[in-house]
Amino acid sequence: MPGFLVTFEGVEGCGKTTQAELLRDELKKHGHRVVMTREPGGTEIGERIRQILLDRDLGAMEPLTELFLYLAARAQNVQELIRPALREGAIVICDRFADASLAYQGSGREIGPSRVEELNRIATFGTQPDYTVLLDVPVEVGMERKSAGAAGAAERDRIEREELDFHSRVREGYLSLAQEFPERVEVFDGTRAAAELATEISGRITRMLEERSGKSR
């Protein structure tokens, strides 16, 4: 059976990383081979780029510089990790992928989704997710979550420290993507209990994998 790429998206504090990890654990429990990665990151080169992108001590970054750094990390992740795993039939779970640049740089930085989409096609080598989980929460809720805990607001990274208007544009960008690609992007209420959400998400993906397995026979 061919590989299957699942991506998790959403604004800061939406709970996507938690849900991605819960899905990984559930799929592994049922004997699936799962490869998990993240953006920016996933590879040694990508993780170094991540350090630059999220460094809260850096000054203002030109939006195009930011975009190209994300694209560079993405290209490395796709070629070094994602495509080889898919060729081997693995389920790949990616914590953010190309949609993130459409929402964050295309809408949030106002570069324009169409310009970002063209560059995304180059950086992904045409690789598309089979299914995208979009966890939607009000921006204020997400930022409150980021401020909670011992570290609090002082430990927010460079992106998390942006103004609420920026994060609102990102959310609107994500919701526009869900409207544009309803067959791939499914919106979930990220304010729901994590366990309840995890059960629903894993159920969706299990059914998709079963359908795909049936068609390949």
Side-chain angles (χ1 to χ4, degrees), residues 102-103 107 168-178:
L102 291 167
S107 296
S168 294
R169 291 195 299 272
V170 171
R171 185 188 183 198
E172 290 167 6
Y174 271 130
L175 293 175
S176 294
L177 285 170

mmCIF file with all atom_site columns, all heavy atoms in Angstrom, residues 102-103 107 168-178:
data_model
loop_
_atom_site.group_PDB
_atom_site.id
_atom_site.type_symbol
_atom_site.label_atom_id
_atom_site.label_alt_id
_atom_site.label_comp_id
_atom_site.label_asym_id
_atom_site.label_entity_id
_atom_site.label_seq_id
_atom_site.pdbx_PDB_ins_code
_atom_site.Cartn_x
_atom_site.Cartn_y
_atom_site.Cartn_z
_atom_site.occupancy
_atom_site.B_iso_or_equiv
_atom_site.pdbx_formal_charge
_atom_site.auth_seq_id
_atom_site.auth_comp_id
_atom_site.auth_asym_id
_atom_site.auth_atom_id
_atom_site.pdbx_PDB_model_num
ATOM 1   N N   . LEU A 1 102 ? 1.123   29.203 3.595  1.00 0.00 ? 102 LEU A N   1
ATOM 2   C CA  . LEU A 1 102 ? 0.001   29.923 2.988  1.00 0.00 ? 102 LEU A CA  1
ATOM 3   C C   . LEU A 1 102 ? -0.714  30.775 4.029  1.00 0.00 ? 102 LEU A C   1
ATOM 4   O O   . LEU A 1 102 ? -1.089  31.916 3.759  1.00 0.00 ? 102 LEU A O   1
ATOM 5   C CB  . LEU A 1 102 ? -0.972  28.934 2.350  1.00 0.00 ? 102 LEU A CB  1
ATOM 6   C CG  . LEU A 1 102 ? -0.456  28.208 1.103  1.00 0.00 ? 102 LEU A CG  1
ATOM 7   C CD1 . LEU A 1 102 ? -1.369  27.035 0.763  1.00 0.00 ? 102 LEU A CD1 1
ATOM 8   C CD2 . LEU A 1 102 ? -0.367  29.168 -0.077 1.00 0.00 ? 102 LEU A CD2 1
ATOM 9   N N   . ALA A 1 103 ? -0.883  30.210 5.242  1.00 0.00 ? 103 ALA A N   1
ATOM 10  C CA  . ALA A 1 103 ? -1.589  30.939 6.294  1.00 0.00 ? 103 ALA A CA  1
ATOM 11  C C   . ALA A 1 103 ? -0.702  31.996 6.965  1.00 0.00 ? 103 ALA A C   1
ATOM 12  O O   . ALA A 1 103 ? -1.112  33.147 7.130  1.00 0.00 ? 103 ALA A O   1
ATOM 13  C CB  . ALA A 1 103 ? -2.114  29.955 7.343  1.00 0.00 ? 103 ALA A CB  1
ATOM 14  N N   . SER A 1 107 ? -1.054  34.915 4.299  1.00 0.00 ? 107 SER A N   1
ATOM 15  C CA  . SER A 1 107 ? -2.090  35.754 4.900  1.00 0.00 ? 107 SER A CA  1
ATOM 16  C C   . SER A 1 107 ? -1.549  36.602 6.047  1.00 0.00 ? 107 SER A C   1
ATOM 17  O O   . SER A 1 107 ? -1.763  37.808 6.098  1.00 0.00 ? 107 SER A O   1
ATOM 18  C CB  . SER A 1 107 ? -3.248  34.877 5.395  1.00 0.00 ? 107 SER A CB  1
ATOM 19  O OG  . SER A 1 107 ? -3.878  34.210 4.317  1.00 0.00 ? 107 SER A OG  1
ATOM 20  N N   . SER A 1 168 ? -4.797  36.706 13.875 1.00 0.00 ? 168 SER A N   1
ATOM 21  C CA  . SER A 1 168 ? -6.164  36.662 13.326 1.00 0.00 ? 168 SER A CA  1
ATOM 22  C C   . SER A 1 168 ? -6.129  36.467 11.818 1.00 0.00 ? 168 SER A C   1
ATOM 23  O O   . SER A 1 168 ? -6.946  35.714 11.261 1.00 0.00 ? 168 SER A O   1
ATOM 24  C CB  . SER A 1 168 ? -6.919  37.954 13.672 1.00 0.00 ? 168 SER A CB  1
ATOM 25  O OG  . SER A 1 168 ? -7.121  38.055 15.069 1.00 0.00 ? 168 SER A OG  1
ATOM 26  N N   . ARG A 1 169 ? -5.192  37.117 11.149 1.00 0.00 ? 169 ARG A N   1
ATOM 27  C CA  . ARG A 1 169 ? -5.054  36.922 9.699  1.00 0.00 ? 169 ARG A CA  1
ATOM 28  C C   . ARG A 1 169 ? -4.639  35.486 9.384  1.00 0.00 ? 169 ARG A C   1
ATOM 29  O O   . ARG A 1 169 ? -5.094  34.902 8.393  1.00 0.00 ? 169 ARG A O   1
ATOM 30  C CB  . ARG A 1 169 ? -4.036  37.910 9.117  1.00 0.00 ? 169 ARG A CB  1
ATOM 31  C CG  . ARG A 1 169 ? -4.491  39.349 9.116  1.00 0.00 ? 169 ARG A CG  1
ATOM 32  C CD  . ARG A 1 169 ? -3.618  40.220 8.215  1.00 0.00 ? 169 ARG A CD  1
ATOM 33  N NE  . ARG A 1 169 ? -2.220  40.247 8.620  1.00 0.00 ? 169 ARG A NE  1
ATOM 34  C CZ  . ARG A 1 169 ? -1.708  41.100 9.504  1.00 0.00 ? 169 ARG A CZ  1
ATOM 35  N NH1 . ARG A 1 169 ? -2.491  42.000 10.107 1.00 0.00 ? 169 ARG A NH1 1
ATOM 36  N NH2 . ARG A 1 169 ? -0.412  41.074 9.799  1.00 0.00 ? 169 ARG A NH2 1
ATOM 37  N N   . VAL A 1 170 ? -3.775  34.925 10.229 1.00 0.00 ? 170 VAL A N   1
ATOM 38  C CA  . VAL A 1 170 ? -3.359  33.535 10.044 1.00 0.00 ? 170 VAL A CA  1
ATOM 39  C C   . VAL A 1 170 ? -4.564  32.606 10.156 1.00 0.00 ? 170 VAL A C   1
ATOM 40  O O   . VAL A 1 170 ? -4.768  31.717 9.312  1.00 0.00 ? 170 VAL A O   1
ATOM 41  C CB  . VAL A 1 170 ? -2.287  33.143 11.081 1.00 0.00 ? 170 VAL A CB  1
ATOM 42  C CG1 . VAL A 1 170 ? -2.016  31.635 11.034 1.00 0.00 ? 170 VAL A CG1 1
ATOM 43  C CG2 . VAL A 1 170 ? -1.002  33.917 10.838 1.00 0.00 ? 170 VAL A CG2 1
ATOM 44  N N   . ARG A 1 171 ? -5.382  32.829 11.185 1.00 0.00 ? 171 ARG A N   1
ATOM 45  C CA  . ARG A 1 171 ? -6.570  31.988 11.358 1.00 0.00 ? 171 ARG A CA  1
ATOM 46  C C   . ARG A 1 171 ? -7.501  32.100 10.160 1.00 0.00 ? 171 ARG A C   1
ATOM 47  O O   . ARG A 1 171 ? -8.020  31.095 9.655  1.00 0.00 ? 171 ARG A O   1
ATOM 48  C CB  . ARG A 1 171 ? -7.308  32.390 12.643 1.00 0.00 ? 171 ARG A CB  1
ATOM 49  C CG  . ARG A 1 171 ? -8.487  31.470 12.954 1.00 0.00 ? 171 ARG A CG  1
ATOM 50  C CD  . ARG A 1 171 ? -9.329  31.987 14.104 1.00 0.00 ? 171 ARG A CD  1
ATOM 51  N NE  . ARG A 1 171 ? -10.398 31.055 14.434 1.00 0.00 ? 171 ARG A NE  1
ATOM 52  C CZ  . ARG A 1 171 ? -11.473 31.377 15.135 1.00 0.00 ? 171 ARG A CZ  1
ATOM 53  N NH1 . ARG A 1 171 ? -11.620 32.616 15.596 1.00 0.00 ? 171 ARG A NH1 1
ATOM 54  N NH2 . ARG A 1 171 ? -12.420 30.476 15.381 1.00 0.00 ? 171 ARG A NH2 1
ATOM 55  N N   . GLU A 1 172 ? -7.721  33.315 9.700  1.00 0.00 ? 172 GLU A N   1
ATOM 56  C CA  . GLU A 1 172 ? -8.584  33.518 8.528  1.00 0.00 ? 172 GLU A CA  1
ATOM 57  C C   . GLU A 1 172 ? -8.006  32.808 7.302  1.00 0.00 ? 172 GLU A C   1
ATOM 58  O O   . GLU A 1 172 ? -8.740  32.236 6.492  1.00 0.00 ? 172 GLU A O   1
ATOM 59  C CB  . GLU A 1 172 ? -8.742  35.009 8.253  1.00 0.00 ? 172 GLU A CB  1
ATOM 60  C CG  . GLU A 1 172 ? -9.582  35.734 9.307  1.00 0.00 ? 172 GLU A CG  1
ATOM 61  C CD  . GLU A 1 172 ? -9.464  37.242 9.202  1.00 0.00 ? 172 GLU A CD  1
ATOM 62  O OE1 . GLU A 1 172 ? -8.825  37.727 8.240  1.00 0.00 ? 172 GLU A OE1 1
ATOM 63  O OE2 . GLU A 1 172 ? -9.999  37.933 10.083 1.00 0.00 ? 172 GLU A OE2 1
ATOM 64  N N   . GLY A 1 173 ? -6.667  32.844 7.175  1.00 0.00 ? 173 GLY A N   1
ATOM 65  C CA  . GLY A 1 173 ? -6.021  32.157 6.067  1.00 0.00 ? 173 GLY A CA  1
ATOM 66  C C   . GLY A 1 173 ? -6.258  30.664 6.108  1.00 0.00 ? 173 GLY A C   1
ATOM 67  O O   . GLY A 1 173 ? -6.536  30.027 5.085  1.00 0.00 ? 173 GLY A O   1
ATOM 68  N N   . TYR A 1 174 ? -6.155  30.091 7.303  1.00 0.00 ? 174 TYR A N   1
ATOM 69  C CA  . TYR A 1 174 ? -6.402  28.658 7.458  1.00 0.00 ? 174 TYR A CA  1
ATOM 70  C C   . TYR A 1 174 ? -7.839  28.297 7.103  1.00 0.00 ? 174 TYR A C   1
ATOM 71  O O   . TYR A 1 174 ? -8.103  27.313 6.397  1.00 0.00 ? 174 TYR A O   1
ATOM 72  C CB  . TYR A 1 174 ? -6.106  28.222 8.891  1.00 0.00 ? 174 TYR A CB  1
ATOM 73  C CG  . TYR A 1 174 ? -4.682  27.794 9.136  1.00 0.00 ? 174 TYR A CG  1
ATOM 74  C CD1 . TYR A 1 174 ? -3.954  28.313 10.203 1.00 0.00 ? 174 TYR A CD1 1
ATOM 75  C CD2 . TYR A 1 174 ? -4.067  26.832 8.329  1.00 0.00 ? 174 TYR A CD2 1
ATOM 76  C CE1 . TYR A 1 174 ? -2.648  27.899 10.459 1.00 0.00 ? 174 TYR A CE1 1
ATOM 77  C CE2 . TYR A 1 174 ? -2.764  26.410 8.575  1.00 0.00 ? 174 TYR A CE2 1
ATOM 78  C CZ  . TYR A 1 174 ? -2.062  26.951 9.636  1.00 0.00 ? 174 TYR A CZ  1
ATOM 79  O OH  . TYR A 1 174 ? -0.769  26.530 9.868  1.00 0.00 ? 174 TYR A OH  1
ATOM 80  N N   . LEU A 1 175 ? -8.792  29.076 7.598  1.00 0.00 ? 175 LEU A N   1
ATOM 81  C CA  . LEU A 1 175 ? -10.195 28.778 7.333  1.00 0.00 ? 175 LEU A CA  1
ATOM 82  C C   . LEU A 1 175 ? -10.526 28.927 5.850  1.00 0.00 ? 175 LEU A C   1
ATOM 83  O O   . LEU A 1 175 ? -11.362 28.184 5.316  1.00 0.00 ? 175 LEU A O   1
ATOM 84  C CB  . LEU A 1 175 ? -11.092 29.678 8.190  1.00 0.00 ? 175 LEU A CB  1
ATOM 85  C CG  . LEU A 1 175 ? -10.999 29.407 9.705  1.00 0.00 ? 175 LEU A CG  1
ATOM 86  C CD1 . LEU A 1 175 ? -11.833 30.418 10.482 1.00 0.00 ? 175 LEU A CD1 1
ATOM 87  C CD2 . LEU A 1 175 ? -11.466 27.982 10.026 1.00 0.00 ? 175 LEU A CD2 1
ATOM 88  N N   . SER A 1 176 ? -9.839  29.838 5.182  1.00 0.00 ? 176 SER A N   1
ATOM 89  C CA  . SER A 1 176 ? -10.026 29.979 3.731  1.00 0.00 ? 176 SER A CA  1
ATOM 90  C C   . SER A 1 176 ? -9.528  28.737 3.004  1.00 0.00 ? 176 SER A C   1
ATOM 91  O O   . SER A 1 176 ? -10.141 28.274 2.026  1.00 0.00 ? 176 SER A O   1
ATOM 92  C CB  . SER A 1 176 ? -9.282  31.212 3.207  1.00 0.00 ? 176 SER A CB  1
ATOM 93  O OG  . SER A 1 176 ? -9.851  32.399 3.723  1.00 0.00 ? 176 SER A OG  1
ATOM 94  N N   . LEU A 1 177 ? -8.425  28.170 3.480  1.00 0.00 ? 177 LEU A N   1
ATOM 95  C CA  . LEU A 1 177 ? -7.897  26.943 2.883  1.00 0.00 ? 177 LEU A CA  1
ATOM 96  C C   . LEU A 1 177 ? -8.882  25.788 3.048  1.00 0.00 ? 177 LEU A C   1
ATOM 97  O O   . LEU A 1 177 ? -9.051  24.960 2.139  1.00 0.00 ? 177 LEU A O   1
ATOM 98  C CB  . LEU A 1 177 ? -6.561  26.573 3.519  1.00 0.00 ? 177 LEU A CB  1
ATOM 99  C CG  . LEU A 1 177 ? -5.355  27.404 3.088  1.00 0.00 ? 177 LEU A CG  1
ATOM 100 C CD1 . LEU A 1 177 ? -4.157  27.095 3.973  1.00 0.00 ? 177 LEU A CD1 1
ATOM 101 C CD2 . LEU A 1 177 ? -5.013  27.131 1.627  1.00 0.00 ? 177 LEU A CD2 1
ATOM 102 N N   . ALA A 1 178 ? -9.524  25.726 4.215  1.00 0.00 ? 178 ALA A N   1
ATOM 103 C CA  . ALA A 1 178 ? -10.501 24.665 4.455  1.00 0.00 ? 178 ALA A CA  1
ATOM 104 C C   . ALA A 1 178 ? -11.686 24.788 3.498  1.00 0.00 ? 178 ALA A C   1
ATOM 105 O O   . ALA A 1 178 ? -12.234 23.775 3.035  1.00 0.00 ? 178 ALA A O   1
ATOM 106 C CB  . ALA A 1 178 ? -10.986 24.722 5.899  1.00 0.00 ? 178 ALA A CB  1
#
